[in-house]
Amino acid sequence: MSCIFCKIVSGEIPSKKLYEDDKVLAFYDISPEAPVHFLVIPKEHIKSANEINEENASIISHIFVVINKLVKELNINETGYRIVNNCGKDGGQTVDHMHFHVLGQRDLKWPPG
Ligand code: 5GP
Ligand code: ZN
């Protein structure tokens, strides 16, 4: 398996973990775009949001519950944050293992470039 996020899940590539359970992993982005920038991924290799279907969709709600817990722990729940999923080439996805970015602790601009 050549997927770098699968290697992060297996521990083959080290990461700064924030949260882990049997279904998901949260870890800090190696190249942060905000003072708080972490990623939440399913442990299962799901390529992108295009692969979400009735069978695997429960992972999405679980990821959002985990994000809710982590933003409280990191104290950005009151000041606000942004959850981003980049999908495919035009969406700017560079790692083909679905992930949700969580960015916070700065005034994020809108719209994105
Ligand atoms: P994308 O551009 O696909 O939405 O986001 C991929 C993200 O993964 C980027 O923000 C990038 O900095 C991060 N990333 C890529 N390789 C690694 C890695 O080996 N470790 C960590 N922690 N983050 C990575
Ligand atoms: Zn993967």
Side-chain angles (χ1 to χ4, degrees):
M1 172 58 81
S2 61
C3 170
I4 59 170
F5 285 179
C6 282
K7 286 182 178 166
I8 285 177
V9 169
S10 73
E12 197 180 326
I13 294 176
S15 67
K16 205 172 156 200
K17 288 179 192 174
L18 270 160
Y19 175 86
E20 181 171 21
D21 64 26
D22 56 330
K23 295 188 193 71
V24 304
L25 178 66
F27 55 99
Y28 284 105
D29 197 291
I30 202 165
S31 180
E33 295 290 349
V36 171
H37 185 179
F38 63 90
L39 304 172
V40 188
I41 68 171
K43 286 191 166 177
E44 178 193 356
H45 182 85
I46 297 173
K47 203 174 149 197
S48 78
N50 278 338
E51 314 290 313
I52 296 299
N53 54 44
E54 291 295 343
E55 279 67 50
N56 64 17
S58 64
I59 195 70
I60 303 296
S61 53
H62 183 57
I63 284 171
F64 273 68
V65 171
V66 168
I67 290 172
N68 187 292
K69 171 183 143 60
L70 292 175
V71 294
K72 284 176 181 142
E73 282 178 18
L74 295 167
N75 250 319
I76 57 170
N77 57 313
E78 299 286 349
T79 45
Y81 52 92
R82 187 171 295 164
I83 302 171
V84 175
N85 170 254
N86 295 326
C87 182
K89 183 179 74 66
D90 285 356
Q93 184 175 6
T94 59
V95 177
D96 286 340
H97 180 133
M98 184 181 68
H99 49 279
F100 290 85
H101 298 255
V102 181
L103 302 120
Q105 231 165 62
R106 78 168 165 85
D107 191 10
L108 298 159
K109 301 299 171 221
W110 190 262

